[in-house]
Amino acid sequence: MGDPWLSAYDAALRVARKAGAVIRDAGEKEIKVCTKSSTVDLVTKTDERVEKIIIGALREQFPDHCFIGEESVAKGEPCNLTDKPTWIIDPVDGTTNFVHGFPFVAVSIAFAVNKELEFGVVYSCLENKMYRGRNGKGAFCDDEKIEVSDVKDIHKSIIISEHGTDRSCEKVEKIFSTMKKILCIPVHGLRGSGTAATNMCLVACGAVEAFFEIGIHCWDIAAGAVIVKEAGGVLLDVNGGPFDLMSRRMVSANNMVIAERIIKEIEIFPADRDDAPIKKITKFCKK
Ligand SMILES: O=P([O-])([O-])O[C@@H]1[C@@H](O)[C@H](O)[C@@H](O)[C@H](O)[C@@H]1O
Ligand SMILES: [Mg+2]
């Protein structure tokens, strides 16, 4: 049987590093900012250019594979995960950080077959850290094996989350009420890097104990999910059920004790599934 997806994994590492170099270079120049689902859901030419570079390179090597890319979906392409070999790509995770020069921007590339995630690559390109994980083969940051934290006492934990790009009062209320309840457990701290993929790698390397968010997309978390699992962590739905890649919500943690404690505090609000009928997002660019 050999290692059927090794060439795909190697291709993912290569193109992630190349994409990271394009992002770093673009960050040195003037960045034209547009918006998507809200006035704070930013997108730039670099997001679109980097996605084209990644999908172009992978499609050339794997012409019969399927692709789910954040910016392709925003332009109306379907976001359906089938049994076919499928790449799930966020070309620039942390676009707002990229626009502001806040130093956490990641290229996130995952690969699934028969709806099972085979491997994930998260290249934190401003830190020049390559996080990677393959099914059953462990998780790494560059060449160092990484493992989740062994903390079981929630009072000795750091929890990481984000508030997303939906600024409706009802959702903001629930997000901050959840964060307040967690903070007052109390935990050692709350953090947010601005990119879900990076947040999940911080869980995987033991820097924080758990990441949760409602409102993320499959491309933000698919690669990080493999890395967390391979680092010995757990993945769940925010209601304690099984992790569902397309549900736009998740908890990733170092162990079930921490995960279940966090889940108790999460105030759930609805988010359309990624595989719901296509909703083309209208991009708006100020002149
Ligand atoms: O848009 P993007 O920078 O690729 O992805 C980001 C996610 O990584 C983050 O978790 C979320 O809170 C932001 O709203 C945004 O969606
Ligand atoms: Mg993105």
Side-chain angles (χ1 to χ4, degrees):
M1 185 62 180
D3 196 345
W5 305 114
L6 182 58
S7 62
Y9 176 64
D10 289 341
L13 291 168
R14 243 188 340 269
V15 77
R17 205 170 282 282
K18 180 181 174 189
V22 171
I23 293 169
R24 282 196 299 267
D25 180 57
E28 299 300 314
K29 301 181 176 87
E30 194 207 344
I31 300 170
K32 184 168 169 19
V33 183
C34 299
T35 58
K36 293 188 295 189
S37 62
S38 79
T39 57
V40 297
D41 182 11
L42 309 185
V43 62
T44 70
K45 280 253 170 287
T46 302
D47 294 74
E48 295 170 341
R49 181 169 162 239
V50 168
E51 183 162 307
K52 281 201 182 81
I53 291 169
I54 295 170
I55 292 180
L58 295 172
R59 186 169 266 144
E60 188 181 347
Q61 192 172 348
F62 308 102
D64 59 346
H65 287 187
C66 298
F67 294 86
I68 295 175
E70 176 176 1
E71 307 315 334
S72 309
V73 171
K75 291 187 182 122
E77 288 204 14
C79 183
N80 293 324
L81 188 57
T82 65
D83 288 345
K84 289 183 74 174
T86 303
W87 295 86
I88 306 168
I89 298 161
D90 186 342
V92 181
D93 191 43
T95 299
T96 302
N97 290 352
F98 169 65
V99 168
H100 287 264
F102 189 75
F104 297 102
V105 179
V107 179
S108 181
I109 300 175
F111 180 67
V113 182
N114 298 324
K115 299 191 181 77
E116 288 296 318
L117 291 166
E118 283 292 332
F119 60 73
V121 168
V122 174
Y123 181 41
S124 179
C125 59
L126 303 188
E127 294 181 285
N128 190 26
K129 285 183 176 179
M130 184 69 81
Y131 294 93
R132 54 197 175 86
R134 292 180 74 197
N135 230 349
K137 297 182 186 292
F140 298 83
C141 178
D142 297 327
D143 292 329
E144 189 189 336
K145 193 159 176 11
I146 56 176
E147 283 181 344
V148 294
S149 138
D150 59 6
V151 167
K152 285 194 167 53
D153 180 352
I154 190 74
H155 300 95
K156 297 195 172 89
S157 71
I158 291 185
I159 306 303
I160 202 161
S161 187
E162 303 291 336
H163 36 70
T165 49
D166 186 318
R167 293 290 189 272
S168 63
C169 291
E170 182 240 347
K171 288 183 184 172
V172 169
E173 275 299 320
K174 285 185 181 287
I175 289 166
F176 279 92
S177 168
T178 298
M179 288 197 182
K180 182 178 165 194
K181 290 193 292 181
I182 289 172
L183 200 57
C184 298
I185 288 175
V187 295
H188 274 177
L190 273 182
R191 299 288 185 273
S193 73
T195 127
T198 304
N199 291 339
M200 294 177 80
C201 291
L202 291 168
V203 173
C205 69
V208 301
E209 276 65 46
F211 163 68
F212 72 94
E213 188 172 352
I214 299 175
I216 29 101
H217 291 278
C218 59
W219 45 78
D220 295 315
I221 61 170
V226 182
I227 295 167
V228 166
K229 185 173 72 62
E230 287 303 316
V234 296
L235 303 164
L236 291 156
D237 189 345
V238 291
N239 62 8
F243 171 59
D244 174 352
L245 179 62
M246 308 305 267
S247 68
R248 296 198 54 207
R249 61 194 216 179
M250 61 109 50
V251 175
S252 55
N254 60 333
N255 57 55
M256 283 302 283
V257 173
I258 296 287
E260 286 166 354
R261 183 62 190 83
I262 291 297
I263 284 166
K264 273 192 195 146
E265 309 299 349
I266 297 177
E267 296 188 23
I268 297 175
F269 53 85
D272 292 342
R273 291 181 58 87
D274 276 322
D275 48 10
I278 302 170
K279 276 195 327 294
K280 189 170 175 304
I281 294 171
T282 312
K283 190 171 82 169
F284 174 74
C285 304
K286 274 204 189 82
K287 292 276 175 267

